Amino acid sequence: MRSRFLRTLIVLLVMSLSVVAQNPELSKTVQPFVRVQATKLVLTHVRVIDGTGAPAVDDQNLTIENGKITAIQPGADVGKTDGTTVLALRGYSVMPGIVGMHNHLFYIERPNLDASRHFDPPVLVPQMTFSAPRLYLASGVTTMRTTGSVETYADLNLKHDIDSGELAGPHIDVTGPYLEGATSYFIQMPHLTSPERVRQTVNFWADQGVTSFKAYMNLTRAELKAAIDAVHARGLKITGHLCAVTYKEAAELGIDDLEHGFSVNTELDSGKKPDVCTDSDGGETIARLDPNGPDAKDLIRTLVSHHVAVTSTLPVFESEAGPGRPPVRQAVLDAMSPQAREDFFLLRQPRPASAPPPKIDTAIAWQHELAMERAFVAAGGLLLSGPDPTGRGDVLPGFGDQRGIELLVEAGFTPVEAIKIATLNGAIYMGREKEIGSIAAGKNADLVVVKGDPSKQVSDVENVEIVFKDGVGYDSQKLLESVRGRYGQY
Ligand SMILES: [Zn+2]
């Protein structure tokens, strides 16, 4: 009798602990953004896009209890009895929270940028610890990987403060500082010039709590090998934006993921020397690569057989895709700081006559990139998605994640396939597909409520109303208003 009482007590304690873990006390900073929070909540008459690539199902009731999805049933009216909160969502769709896999927490600053696109070195990446997490959550991103960090302690503390309910934002997989070789694109990267230093750096940051790593452009094969082995020894994963090392070399060395689709593989770049980055950073290779040719097939076969994921970052390349692109959304311009907006308009001016002509046809490269992403998935490859909010300043946290889904549709995926790439695939890569990434009973209630039907018109992914993270519904507009004119500033 007594032991049964104890057992019950322990079960109750564990249950209450898990409820606390799901729903921490939200601070006064976070509470104003909460639109709905209830022990039991039913979304009625909503269209469900479940994130698995299955067709959308109209008119469903979705029940959320203690932060989890507990039931998905045919739509029915539900009375507000027994403490159940009801949200009537006819005309709306619900999809899984976005799992953004190339989602930085910094901005890119080109000091003294002018109309001829000249700027003074060094390129800097100021931290956006205030605006970026709010933009991500407002846009439907509920989990993200930072994919290279600059202020790693800030990112780790941000993750802690979000998880404890102090600050608003998505769940974060904090990536360690860029593992970079002798020189670097921006000045805040470590310069690791030996395998031993790479190993030390990986172990130091794994000890501090980072949960992923990213190798960068000038790392050599020996250094990359040291990084991969050290990261795997800690039970973590490593991705790479590579240049000195080719995709096939990295696959053979055991890398887990490659950033920027197929656009930074340097294998066919002219004058490619082992362990040395090229002038075109892979631009020549993707422009030359026939997506139906033997080189492309061989590359895809190598990546798939080594279980290497590829992260699509189409938004950051879109400005090079050629004419006929849609204008940047007003909401994106509204989020930018005055300086960021000014720089964006300078960078989108036509290329000045004084500038050297581009070495490659970027519009062809864009078409090849789209075709390669399709072929990779058709061959069984795991394609992830993330916007890489850097570029010429119009790819913003969150908005860029939505644009990524739209551009995957331009690449030839159906809208529900594109949504799967941006949700479930990221969860699979992180080994978290039992908890997040799709809509199913038992999973965390990480959901995006959008007006319309993105399974038919993919741009409806932009119409975000409420973003649920662990069952708490955040008001997208209120989050956006709180960072209006701030992105690029802090
Ligand atoms: Zn990046």
Side-chain angles (χ1 to χ4, degrees), residues 102 104 106 147 178 214 216 241 260 388 390:
H102 195 132
H104 298 306
F106 55 74
T147 325
Y178 288 77
K214 179 179 181 183
Y216 211 56
H241 170 176
H260 302 300
D388 190 16
T390 55

Side-chain angles (χ1 to χ4, degrees), residues 156-238:
L156 285 166
N157 292 339
L158 175 69
K159 172 196 172 70
H160 172 272
D161 288 357
I162 289 172
D163 288 344
S164 67
E166 279 301 311
L167 296 174
H171 292 297
I172 300 176
D173 167 10
V174 177
T175 309
Y178 288 77
L179 301 174
E180 174 59 306
T183 58
S184 62
Y185 177 58
F186 58 80
I187 202 165
Q188 292 127 302
M189 290 182 184
H191 292 166
L192 309 170
T193 50
S194 72
E196 186 48 34
R197 284 215 52 205
V198 170
R199 259 189 298 276
Q200 288 167 356
T201 303
V202 166
N203 283 319
F204 175 82
W205 285 106
D207 286 343
Q208 309 311 307
V210 312
T211 41
S212 58
F213 285 89
K214 179 179 181 183
Y216 211 56
M217 297 168 73
N218 292 299
L219 221 55
T220 64
R221 286 167 298 175
E223 288 155 358
L224 179 61
K225 172 76 174 137
I228 291 168
D229 291 348
V231 171
H232 288 172
R234 303 299 297 252
L236 303 174
K237 286 190 171 180
I238 177 168

